[in-house]
C-alpha cells in the first residue's frame, strides 16, 4: 500500500473551497500543520466562531475527503475556534502589542532545536542546574507540550497545588532548589496530545502567568522541537531575553539548527549561541575520545552565521542514564567535567543576558500580532 504523505493530503485539501468562496481552505490559512503517523492523519481546521455550524459541515466534508485517500487508516480533524497565526496581519493587528514580562522573573531564556531528539530537554535541565550552581535563582518552564519531559528529568511526580484559596494560581513544583512547571504535571503522560498553535499558546500562557513563581533570576524554557507555527508564536509571545539552539554535529541537524535561528530572527529574539550536543564520545573501555559524527560542525556553522559557539557536550551514557533516572548530571555529579562544561556555558549566557547582547539587545520587545 502506498504511504500517505503531507503533500498528498495538502493537494486534496487544496481542492476544497474556503467557506468565504475566496480560494481554497489551504490558501485561506484554515489548515494547521498536518501530522501523519502510521497512516493516521491529524490536523486542525481553524474555525471562525461566528460560523461554527458551517465549519462543522466543512469538517465532516474534509474528514471524508481525507479518509478516502489511499493509505489513510484514519483521519482526525479537529476544529479550533481561533484565528490562523499564518494569515498576514491586517493593519489593525499591526498596531503593536507589547509582550508583558513575567512577574518576579528577570530573564527568560529559550532552549530550542530544529528537530527532536538532539538533547534539547537534557541540555535545558542541566543548564538550569548550572545556573543554580552558579548562584542564581532558577525556574524551568516546560513548554514542550508535545512531549513534556521535565517531570521525568526532575524526577517529580504528583500534581501541583493551588497557591491560594481562590485556586486561580498554581504552586510550581520544585526539586534541586529549582521551581518547575510543566503540562506533564497536569495531564496523563500516556495521553497523546494534538496541539494547535493557539492551544499551545494558551497552555503556555497559563504555565507562565498562572503559576506563583518566586523571585527568579533566570527561567529556562524548554521549547517544543522544531520551527513551525506553534514554536514561532511561542517565541513571539514570551518576553524572551534570548535563545540558545542545541544541535548535534550531523549535517542534517545543523540545517535544522539554521531554521531555528531564522525563526528567532523573524521575531527579533536574540540568539545567544549554539551548543553542540553529543559532540564526541569518550570510550568507557579505552578512555579515548572518539569523534563519531563529523564533530566540529556546529562550531564552524556558528562562526559562519556570526553566532557565539557556546560549547560542546560529549555523548556520555552517564548523561543519559542520570537523566532517565531523574537525577541529572549537574545536580548529582557536581564535580564532573560535564558539569564544568554546563556551568561555563551558563556563565556565558548569564553575561549575555545581563548585558543584553546577542543579535539584538532588547529583552522587552514589541511585536505586531
Ligand atoms: P530532545 O529534547 O531534543 O528531544 P532529549 O533531551 O530528550 O532530546 O534527549 C534525547 C535522548 O538523548 C535522551 O535519551 C537523552 O538522555 C539522550 N541524551 C541527550 N544528550 C545526551 C548526551 N550528551 N549524552 C548521552 N545521551 C544524551
Amino acid at each position: 500500500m502506498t504511504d500517505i504523505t503531507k503533500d498528498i493530503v495538502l493537494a486534496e485539501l487544496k481542492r476544497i473551497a474556503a467557506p468565504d468562496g475566496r480560494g481554497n481552505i489551504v490558501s485561506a490559512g484554515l489548515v494547521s500543520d498536518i501530522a501523519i503517523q502510521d497512516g493516521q492523519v491529524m490536523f486542525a481546521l481553524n474555525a471562525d466562531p461566528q460560523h461554527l455550524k458551517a465549519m462543522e459541515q466543512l469538517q465532516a466534508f474534509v474528514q471524508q475527503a481525507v479518509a478516502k485517500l489511499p493509505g489513510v487508516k484514519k483521519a482526525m480533524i479537529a476544529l479550533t475556534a481561533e484565528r490562523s497565526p499564518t494569515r498576514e496581519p491586517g493593519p489593525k493587528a499591526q498596531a503593536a502589542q507589547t509582550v508583558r514580562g513575567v512577574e518576579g522573573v528577570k530573564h527568560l531564556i529559550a532552549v530550542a532545536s530544529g528537530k527532536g531528539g538532539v538533547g534539547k530537554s537534557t541540555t535545558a535541565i542541566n543548564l538550569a542546574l548550572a545556573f543554580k550552581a552558579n548562584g542564581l535563582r532558577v525556574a524551568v518552564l516546560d513548554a514542550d507540550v508535545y512531549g513534556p519531559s521535565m517531570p521525568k528529568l526532575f524526577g517529580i511526580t504528583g500534581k501541583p497545588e493551588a497557591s491560594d484559596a481562590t485556586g486561580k494560581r498554581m504552586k510550581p513544583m520544585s526539586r534541586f532548589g529549582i521551581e518547575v512547571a510543566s503540562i506533564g504535571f497536569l495531564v496523563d503522560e500516556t495521553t497523546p496530545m494534538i496541539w494547535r498553535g493557539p492551544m499551545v499558546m494558551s497552555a503556555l500562557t497559563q504555565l507562565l502567568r498562572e503559576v506563583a513563581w518566586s523571585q527568579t533570576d533566570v527561567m529556562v524554557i524548554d521549547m517544543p522541537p522544531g520551527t513551525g507555527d506553534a514554536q514561532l508564536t511561542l517565541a513571539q509571545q514570551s518576553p524572551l531575553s534570548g535563545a540558545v539552539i542545541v544541535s548535534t554535529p550531523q549535517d542534517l541537524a545543523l540545517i535544522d539548527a539554521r531554521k531555528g535561528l531564522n525563526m528567532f530572527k523573524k521575531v527579533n529574539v536574540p540568539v545567544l549561541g549554539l551548543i553542540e550536543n553529543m559532540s564526541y564520545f569518550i570510550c568507557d573501555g579505552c578512555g579515548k575520545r572518539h569523534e563519531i559524527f563529523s564533530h566540529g560542525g556546529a562550531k564552524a556553522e556558528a562562526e559562519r552565521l556570526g553566532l557565539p559557539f557556546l560549547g560542546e557536550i560529549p555523548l556520555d551514557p552517564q548523561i543519559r542514564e542520570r537523566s532517565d533516572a531523574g537525577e541529572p548530571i549537574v545536580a548529582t555529579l557536581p564535580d564532573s567535567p560535564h558539569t564544568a562544561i554546563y556551568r561555563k556555558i551558563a556563565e556565558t549566557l548569564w553575561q549575555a543576558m545581563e548585558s543584553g547582547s546577542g543579535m539584538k539587545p532588547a529583552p522587552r520587545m514589541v511585536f505586531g500580532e
Side-chain angles (χ1 to χ4, degrees), residues 34-35 50 58 75 120 127-128 139 148-149 189 204 244 246 258-259 267 281 283 304 324 342-343 350 354 364:
I34 298 172
Q50 290 179 337
L58 181 68
K120 172 185 53 60
L127 272 183
S149 38
E189 250 178 89
L204 180 86
V244 287
V246 180
R258 225 170 297 161
K259 278 198 230 149
V267 292
F281 175 62
C283 173
R304 222 181 55 72
D324 285 350
Y342 285 116
R343 287 187 63 174
W350 178 249
E354 281 285 272
R364 304 212 74 210

Side-chain angles (χ1 to χ4, degrees), residues 113 115-124 126 144 147 149 152-153 222-223 225 246 276-280 313-324 342:
S113 64
K115 64 170 197 177
V118 300
K120 172 185 53 60
S121 302
T122 308
T123 307
N126 281 302
D144 189 350
S149 38
K152 182 171 153 221
L153 293 176
D222 186 14
M223 295 279 288
V246 180
E276 187 174 270
N277 187 39
M278 310 200 228
S279 173
Y280 52 89
I313 297 156
L315 173 80
D316 187 326
Q318 288 251 35
I319 295 183
R320 184 178 48 74
E321 282 156 21
R322 283 172 190 268
S323 291
D324 285 350
Y342 285 116

